[in-house]
Amino acid sequence: MVTIRAAQPSDAVELQALFEQLVSSPGNADFAQTTKGERVYVAVSEAGLLVGAVTVWQPESFIHCLFVDRQFQGQGIGTQLLESLIPWLPFPWKLKCLATNQSALAFYRRHGWKKLETGLGEQGTYFLLGRDATADGTR
């Protein structure tokens, strides 16, 4: 069981550590800089550990980052983080996912995301994915 809440300044060190472990690549290792201007929500375990986060560029309903500590993956935390967006983030939602990240792509497909286009970025080929309010995978 986790609690989803808005990130607080006191979460900065834990967010940075998880970001470096799970998401960052050379050139974007600074979580605060990478997510500047975004809304950030965190998943906190019953023991008080920060175990995941989602960041959103609200003007475009764009999910920039979604990550869960490897020790806590497969427990529904990513789903809870996505579901926490439903009350306030208008559909359709979009995100980019590296084509090589097969586990993330499978997760998004299970949650109703569809491939909209393919692109090439600094980290390689990515898919732009979209999800609308009628997708039935999140609930």
mmCIF file with all atom_site columns, all heavy atoms in Angstrom, residues 10-29:
data_model
loop_
_atom_site.group_PDB
_atom_site.id
_atom_site.type_symbol
_atom_site.label_atom_id
_atom_site.label_alt_id
_atom_site.label_comp_id
_atom_site.label_asym_id
_atom_site.label_entity_id
_atom_site.label_seq_id
_atom_site.pdbx_PDB_ins_code
_atom_site.Cartn_x
_atom_site.Cartn_y
_atom_site.Cartn_z
_atom_site.occupancy
_atom_site.B_iso_or_equiv
_atom_site.pdbx_formal_charge
_atom_site.auth_seq_id
_atom_site.auth_comp_id
_atom_site.auth_asym_id
_atom_site.auth_atom_id
_atom_site.pdbx_PDB_model_num
ATOM 1   N N   . SER A 1 10 ? 11.184 18.520 0.678   1.00 0.00 ? 10 SER A N   1
ATOM 2   C CA  . SER A 1 10 ? 11.931 17.520 1.450   1.00 0.00 ? 10 SER A CA  1
ATOM 3   C C   . SER A 1 10 ? 12.119 16.198 0.693   1.00 0.00 ? 10 SER A C   1
ATOM 4   O O   . SER A 1 10 ? 12.903 15.347 1.113   1.00 0.00 ? 10 SER A O   1
ATOM 5   C CB  . SER A 1 10 ? 11.230 17.247 2.787   1.00 0.00 ? 10 SER A CB  1
ATOM 6   O OG  . SER A 1 10 ? 9.912  16.771 2.559   1.00 0.00 ? 10 SER A OG  1
ATOM 7   N N   . ASP A 1 11 ? 11.436 16.019 -0.442  1.00 0.00 ? 11 ASP A N   1
ATOM 8   C CA  . ASP A 1 11 ? 11.572 14.811 -1.260  1.00 0.00 ? 11 ASP A CA  1
ATOM 9   C C   . ASP A 1 11 ? 12.726 14.894 -2.253  1.00 0.00 ? 11 ASP A C   1
ATOM 10  O O   . ASP A 1 11 ? 13.043 13.906 -2.922  1.00 0.00 ? 11 ASP A O   1
ATOM 11  C CB  . ASP A 1 11 ? 10.284 14.557 -2.066  1.00 0.00 ? 11 ASP A CB  1
ATOM 12  C CG  . ASP A 1 11 ? 9.073  14.311 -1.200  1.00 0.00 ? 11 ASP A CG  1
ATOM 13  O OD1 . ASP A 1 11 ? 9.216  13.648 -0.159  1.00 0.00 ? 11 ASP A OD1 1
ATOM 14  O OD2 . ASP A 1 11 ? 7.972  14.764 -1.584  1.00 0.00 ? 11 ASP A OD2 1
ATOM 15  N N   . ALA A 1 12 ? 13.361 16.046 -2.362  1.00 0.00 ? 12 ALA A N   1
ATOM 16  C CA  . ALA A 1 12 ? 14.325 16.291 -3.442  1.00 0.00 ? 12 ALA A CA  1
ATOM 17  C C   . ALA A 1 12 ? 15.459 15.269 -3.502  1.00 0.00 ? 12 ALA A C   1
ATOM 18  O O   . ALA A 1 12 ? 15.808 14.783 -4.577  1.00 0.00 ? 12 ALA A O   1
ATOM 19  C CB  . ALA A 1 12 ? 14.894 17.706 -3.330  1.00 0.00 ? 12 ALA A CB  1
ATOM 20  N N   . VAL A 1 13 ? 16.042 14.926 -2.365  1.00 0.00 ? 13 VAL A N   1
ATOM 21  C CA  . VAL A 1 13 ? 17.186 14.006 -2.366  1.00 0.00 ? 13 VAL A CA  1
ATOM 22  C C   . VAL A 1 13 ? 16.752 12.615 -2.827  1.00 0.00 ? 13 VAL A C   1
ATOM 23  O O   . VAL A 1 13 ? 17.405 11.994 -3.669  1.00 0.00 ? 13 VAL A O   1
ATOM 24  C CB  . VAL A 1 13 ? 17.856 13.961 -0.978  1.00 0.00 ? 13 VAL A CB  1
ATOM 25  C CG1 . VAL A 1 13 ? 18.904 12.853 -0.910  1.00 0.00 ? 13 VAL A CG1 1
ATOM 26  C CG2 . VAL A 1 13 ? 18.492 15.305 -0.656  1.00 0.00 ? 13 VAL A CG2 1
ATOM 27  N N   . GLU A 1 14 ? 15.630 12.121 -2.288  1.00 0.00 ? 14 GLU A N   1
ATOM 28  C CA  . GLU A 1 14 ? 15.145 10.792 -2.683  1.00 0.00 ? 14 GLU A CA  1
ATOM 29  C C   . GLU A 1 14 ? 14.721 10.768 -4.152  1.00 0.00 ? 14 GLU A C   1
ATOM 30  O O   . GLU A 1 14 ? 14.974 9.787  -4.862  1.00 0.00 ? 14 GLU A O   1
ATOM 31  C CB  . GLU A 1 14 ? 13.978 10.357 -1.803  1.00 0.00 ? 14 GLU A CB  1
ATOM 32  C CG  . GLU A 1 14 ? 14.385 9.899  -0.417  1.00 0.00 ? 14 GLU A CG  1
ATOM 33  C CD  . GLU A 1 14 ? 13.180 9.459  0.387   1.00 0.00 ? 14 GLU A CD  1
ATOM 34  O OE1 . GLU A 1 14 ? 12.487 10.331 0.933   1.00 0.00 ? 14 GLU A OE1 1
ATOM 35  O OE2 . GLU A 1 14 ? 12.930 8.232  0.446   1.00 0.00 ? 14 GLU A OE2 1
ATOM 36  N N   . LEU A 1 15 ? 14.069 11.830 -4.618  1.00 0.00 ? 15 LEU A N   1
ATOM 37  C CA  . LEU A 1 15 ? 13.679 11.903 -6.033  1.00 0.00 ? 15 LEU A CA  1
ATOM 38  C C   . LEU A 1 15 ? 14.902 11.867 -6.938  1.00 0.00 ? 15 LEU A C   1
ATOM 39  O O   . LEU A 1 15 ? 14.924 11.159 -7.944  1.00 0.00 ? 15 LEU A O   1
ATOM 40  C CB  . LEU A 1 15 ? 12.864 13.168 -6.296  1.00 0.00 ? 15 LEU A CB  1
ATOM 41  C CG  . LEU A 1 15 ? 11.373 13.077 -6.022  1.00 0.00 ? 15 LEU A CG  1
ATOM 42  C CD1 . LEU A 1 15 ? 10.738 14.462 -6.059  1.00 0.00 ? 15 LEU A CD1 1
ATOM 43  C CD2 . LEU A 1 15 ? 10.694 12.146 -7.005  1.00 0.00 ? 15 LEU A CD2 1
ATOM 44  N N   . GLN A 1 16 ? 15.912 12.631 -6.577  1.00 0.00 ? 16 GLN A N   1
ATOM 45  C CA  . GLN A 1 16 ? 17.133 12.665 -7.383  1.00 0.00 ? 16 GLN A CA  1
ATOM 46  C C   . GLN A 1 16 ? 17.783 11.284 -7.443  1.00 0.00 ? 16 GLN A C   1
ATOM 47  O O   . GLN A 1 16 ? 18.197 10.826 -8.506  1.00 0.00 ? 16 GLN A O   1
ATOM 48  C CB  . GLN A 1 16 ? 18.118 13.698 -6.832  1.00 0.00 ? 16 GLN A CB  1
ATOM 49  C CG  . GLN A 1 16 ? 19.436 13.768 -7.582  1.00 0.00 ? 16 GLN A CG  1
ATOM 50  C CD  . GLN A 1 16 ? 19.289 14.208 -9.027  1.00 0.00 ? 16 GLN A CD  1
ATOM 51  O OE1 . GLN A 1 16 ? 18.457 15.049 -9.356  1.00 0.00 ? 16 GLN A OE1 1
ATOM 52  N NE2 . GLN A 1 16 ? 20.083 13.630 -9.917  1.00 0.00 ? 16 GLN A NE2 1
ATOM 53  N N   . ALA A 1 17 ? 17.835 10.595 -6.310  1.00 0.00 ? 17 ALA A N   1
ATOM 54  C CA  . ALA A 1 17 ? 18.462 9.272  -6.269  1.00 0.00 ? 17 ALA A CA  1
ATOM 55  C C   . ALA A 1 17 ? 17.698 8.269  -7.135  1.00 0.00 ? 17 ALA A C   1
ATOM 56  O O   . ALA A 1 17 ? 18.305 7.516  -7.910  1.00 0.00 ? 17 ALA A O   1
ATOM 57  C CB  . ALA A 1 17 ? 18.546 8.776  -4.825  1.00 0.00 ? 17 ALA A CB  1
ATOM 58  N N   . LEU A 1 18 ? 16.372 8.255  -7.034  1.00 0.00 ? 18 LEU A N   1
ATOM 59  C CA  . LEU A 1 18 ? 15.576 7.345  -7.860  1.00 0.00 ? 18 LEU A CA  1
ATOM 60  C C   . LEU A 1 18 ? 15.712 7.689  -9.341  1.00 0.00 ? 18 LEU A C   1
ATOM 61  O O   . LEU A 1 18 ? 15.824 6.805  -10.185 1.00 0.00 ? 18 LEU A O   1
ATOM 62  C CB  . LEU A 1 18 ? 14.098 7.413  -7.471  1.00 0.00 ? 18 LEU A CB  1
ATOM 63  C CG  . LEU A 1 18 ? 13.606 6.439  -6.431  1.00 0.00 ? 18 LEU A CG  1
ATOM 64  C CD1 . LEU A 1 18 ? 12.117 6.640  -6.167  1.00 0.00 ? 18 LEU A CD1 1
ATOM 65  C CD2 . LEU A 1 18 ? 13.880 5.002  -6.803  1.00 0.00 ? 18 LEU A CD2 1
ATOM 66  N N   . PHE A 1 19 ? 15.705 8.973  -9.647  1.00 0.00 ? 19 PHE A N   1
ATOM 67  C CA  . PHE A 1 19 ? 15.834 9.429  -11.032 1.00 0.00 ? 19 PHE A CA  1
ATOM 68  C C   . PHE A 1 19 ? 17.155 8.961  -11.627 1.00 0.00 ? 19 PHE A C   1
ATOM 69  O O   . PHE A 1 19 ? 17.202 8.446  -12.742 1.00 0.00 ? 19 PHE A O   1
ATOM 70  C CB  . PHE A 1 19 ? 15.713 10.954 -11.069 1.00 0.00 ? 19 PHE A CB  1
ATOM 71  C CG  . PHE A 1 19 ? 15.730 11.545 -12.446 1.00 0.00 ? 19 PHE A CG  1
ATOM 72  C CD1 . PHE A 1 19 ? 14.648 11.389 -13.301 1.00 0.00 ? 19 PHE A CD1 1
ATOM 73  C CD2 . PHE A 1 19 ? 16.813 12.275 -12.879 1.00 0.00 ? 19 PHE A CD2 1
ATOM 74  C CE1 . PHE A 1 19 ? 14.648 11.954 -14.563 1.00 0.00 ? 19 PHE A CE1 1
ATOM 75  C CE2 . PHE A 1 19 ? 16.827 12.841 -14.146 1.00 0.00 ? 19 PHE A CE2 1
ATOM 76  C CZ  . PHE A 1 19 ? 15.742 12.683 -14.985 1.00 0.00 ? 19 PHE A CZ  1
ATOM 77  N N   . GLU A 1 20 ? 18.227 9.129  -10.871 1.00 0.00 ? 20 GLU A N   1
ATOM 78  C CA  . GLU A 1 20 ? 19.540 8.694  -11.354 1.00 0.00 ? 20 GLU A CA  1
ATOM 79  C C   . GLU A 1 20 ? 19.580 7.188  -11.565 1.00 0.00 ? 20 GLU A C   1
ATOM 80  O O   . GLU A 1 20 ? 20.163 6.701  -12.529 1.00 0.00 ? 20 GLU A O   1
ATOM 81  C CB  . GLU A 1 20 ? 20.637 9.107  -10.363 1.00 0.00 ? 20 GLU A CB  1
ATOM 82  C CG  . GLU A 1 20 ? 20.931 10.579 -10.371 1.00 0.00 ? 20 GLU A CG  1
ATOM 83  C CD  . GLU A 1 20 ? 21.934 10.983 -9.304  1.00 0.00 ? 20 GLU A CD  1
ATOM 84  O OE1 . GLU A 1 20 ? 22.510 10.098 -8.638  1.00 0.00 ? 20 GLU A OE1 1
ATOM 85  O OE2 . GLU A 1 20 ? 22.139 12.196 -9.126  1.00 0.00 ? 20 GLU A OE2 1
ATOM 86  N N   . GLN A 1 21 ? 18.946 6.449  -10.678 1.00 0.00 ? 21 GLN A N   1
ATOM 87  C CA  . GLN A 1 21 ? 18.952 4.991  -10.753 1.00 0.00 ? 21 GLN A CA  1
ATOM 88  C C   . GLN A 1 21 ? 18.104 4.472  -11.910 1.00 0.00 ? 21 GLN A C   1
ATOM 89  O O   . GLN A 1 21 ? 18.481 3.510  -12.579 1.00 0.00 ? 21 GLN A O   1
ATOM 90  C CB  . GLN A 1 21 ? 18.427 4.425  -9.438  1.00 0.00 ? 21 GLN A CB  1
ATOM 91  C CG  . GLN A 1 21 ? 18.252 2.920  -9.424  1.00 0.00 ? 21 GLN A CG  1
ATOM 92  C CD  . GLN A 1 21 ? 17.477 2.449  -8.201  1.00 0.00 ? 21 GLN A CD  1
ATOM 93  O OE1 . GLN A 1 21 ? 17.062 3.219  -7.352  1.00 0.00 ? 21 GLN A OE1 1
ATOM 94  N NE2 . GLN A 1 21 ? 17.268 1.157  -8.122  1.00 0.00 ? 21 GLN A NE2 1
ATOM 95  N N   . LEU A 1 22 ? 16.973 5.096  -12.170 1.00 0.00 ? 22 LEU A N   1
ATOM 96  C CA  . LEU A 1 22 ? 15.980 4.506  -13.072 1.00 0.00 ? 22 LEU A CA  1
ATOM 97  C C   . LEU A 1 22 ? 15.798 5.207  -14.410 1.00 0.00 ? 22 LEU A C   1
ATOM 98  O O   . LEU A 1 22 ? 15.374 4.569  -15.371 1.00 0.00 ? 22 LEU A O   1
ATOM 99  C CB  . LEU A 1 22 ? 14.614 4.462  -12.367 1.00 0.00 ? 22 LEU A CB  1
ATOM 100 C CG  . LEU A 1 22 ? 14.567 3.644  -11.089 1.00 0.00 ? 22 LEU A CG  1
ATOM 101 C CD1 . LEU A 1 22 ? 13.266 3.908  -10.352 1.00 0.00 ? 22 LEU A CD1 1
ATOM 102 C CD2 . LEU A 1 22 ? 14.718 2.165  -11.397 1.00 0.00 ? 22 LEU A CD2 1
ATOM 103 N N   . VAL A 1 23 ? 16.061 6.499  -14.477 1.00 0.00 ? 23 VAL A N   1
ATOM 104 C CA  . VAL A 1 23 ? 15.643 7.258  -15.657 1.00 0.00 ? 23 VAL A CA  1
ATOM 105 C C   . VAL A 1 23 ? 16.772 7.970  -16.373 1.00 0.00 ? 23 VAL A C   1
ATOM 106 O O   . VAL A 1 23 ? 16.847 7.940  -17.600 1.00 0.00 ? 23 VAL A O   1
ATOM 107 C CB  . VAL A 1 23 ? 14.571 8.320  -15.275 1.00 0.00 ? 23 VAL A CB  1
ATOM 108 C CG1 . VAL A 1 23 ? 14.128 9.110  -16.485 1.00 0.00 ? 23 VAL A CG1 1
ATOM 109 C CG2 . VAL A 1 23 ? 13.380 7.658  -14.610 1.00 0.00 ? 23 VAL A CG2 1
ATOM 110 N N   . SER A 1 24 ? 17.632 8.604  -15.644 1.00 0.00 ? 24 SER A N   1
ATOM 111 C CA  . SER A 1 24 ? 18.554 9.569  -16.240 1.00 0.00 ? 24 SER A CA  1
ATOM 112 C C   . SER A 1 24 ? 19.550 8.940  -17.196 1.00 0.00 ? 24 SER A C   1
ATOM 113 O O   . SER A 1 24 ? 19.881 7.771  -17.122 1.00 0.00 ? 24 SER A O   1
ATOM 114 C CB  . SER A 1 24 ? 19.287 10.356 -15.166 1.00 0.00 ? 24 SER A CB  1
ATOM 115 O OG  . SER A 1 24 ? 20.221 9.542  -14.505 1.00 0.00 ? 24 SER A OG  1
ATOM 116 N N   . SER A 1 25 ? 19.993 9.778  -18.082 1.00 0.00 ? 25 SER A N   1
ATOM 117 C CA  . SER A 1 25 ? 21.057 9.419  -19.013 1.00 0.00 ? 25 SER A CA  1
ATOM 118 C C   . SER A 1 25 ? 22.025 10.588 -19.024 1.00 0.00 ? 25 SER A C   1
ATOM 119 O O   . SER A 1 25 ? 21.706 11.665 -18.516 1.00 0.00 ? 25 SER A O   1
ATOM 120 C CB  . SER A 1 25 ? 20.484 9.187  -20.410 1.00 0.00 ? 25 SER A CB  1
ATOM 121 O OG  . SER A 1 25 ? 19.914 10.378 -20.897 1.00 0.00 ? 25 SER A OG  1
ATOM 122 N N   . PRO A 1 26 ? 23.207 10.411 -19.575 1.00 0.00 ? 26 PRO A N   1
ATOM 123 C CA  . PRO A 1 26 ? 24.153 11.530 -19.603 1.00 0.00 ? 26 PRO A CA  1
ATOM 124 C C   . PRO A 1 26 ? 23.502 12.784 -20.183 1.00 0.00 ? 26 PRO A C   1
ATOM 125 O O   . PRO A 1 26 ? 22.838 12.737 -21.209 1.00 0.00 ? 26 PRO A O   1
ATOM 126 C CB  . PRO A 1 26 ? 25.278 11.013 -20.502 1.00 0.00 ? 26 PRO A CB  1
ATOM 127 C CG  . PRO A 1 26 ? 25.209 9.530  -20.351 1.00 0.00 ? 26 PRO A CG  1
ATOM 128 C CD  . PRO A 1 26 ? 23.739 9.207  -20.198 1.00 0.00 ? 26 PRO A CD  1
ATOM 129 N N   . GLY A 1 27 ? 23.653 13.871 -19.469 1.00 0.00 ? 27 GLY A N   1
ATOM 130 C CA  . GLY A 1 27 ? 23.102 15.135 -19.946 1.00 0.00 ? 27 GLY A CA  1
ATOM 131 C C   . GLY A 1 27 ? 21.774 15.508 -19.320 1.00 0.00 ? 27 GLY A C   1
ATOM 132 O O   . GLY A 1 27 ? 21.340 16.641 -19.432 1.00 0.00 ? 27 GLY A O   1
ATOM 133 N N   . ASN A 1 28 ? 21.096 14.565 -18.663 1.00 0.00 ? 28 ASN A N   1
ATOM 134 C CA  . ASN A 1 28 ? 19.840 14.934 -18.007 1.00 0.00 ? 28 ASN A CA  1
ATOM 135 C C   . ASN A 1 28 ? 19.729 14.318 -16.616 1.00 0.00 ? 28 ASN A C   1
ATOM 136 O O   . ASN A 1 28 ? 18.684 13.883 -16.195 1.00 0.00 ? 28 ASN A O   1
ATOM 137 C CB  . ASN A 1 28 ? 18.629 14.569 -18.874 1.00 0.00 ? 28 ASN A CB  1
ATOM 138 C CG  . ASN A 1 28 ? 18.297 13.093 -18.851 1.00 0.00 ? 28 ASN A CG  1
ATOM 139 O OD1 . ASN A 1 28 ? 19.129 12.259 -18.535 1.00 0.00 ? 28 ASN A OD1 1
ATOM 140 N ND2 . ASN A 1 28 ? 17.075 12.770 -19.191 1.00 0.00 ? 28 ASN A ND2 1
ATOM 141 N N   . ALA A 1 29 ? 20.829 14.305 -15.889 1.00 0.00 ? 29 ALA A N   1
ATOM 142 C CA  . ALA A 1 29 ? 20.861 13.653 -14.581 1.00 0.00 ? 29 ALA A CA  1
ATOM 143 C C   . ALA A 1 29 ? 20.288 14.506 -13.450 1.00 0.00 ? 29 ALA A C   1
ATOM 144 O O   . ALA A 1 29 ? 20.135 14.031 -12.344 1.00 0.00 ? 29 ALA A O   1
ATOM 145 C CB  . ALA A 1 29 ? 22.289 13.230 -14.241 1.00 0.00 ? 29 ALA A CB  1
#
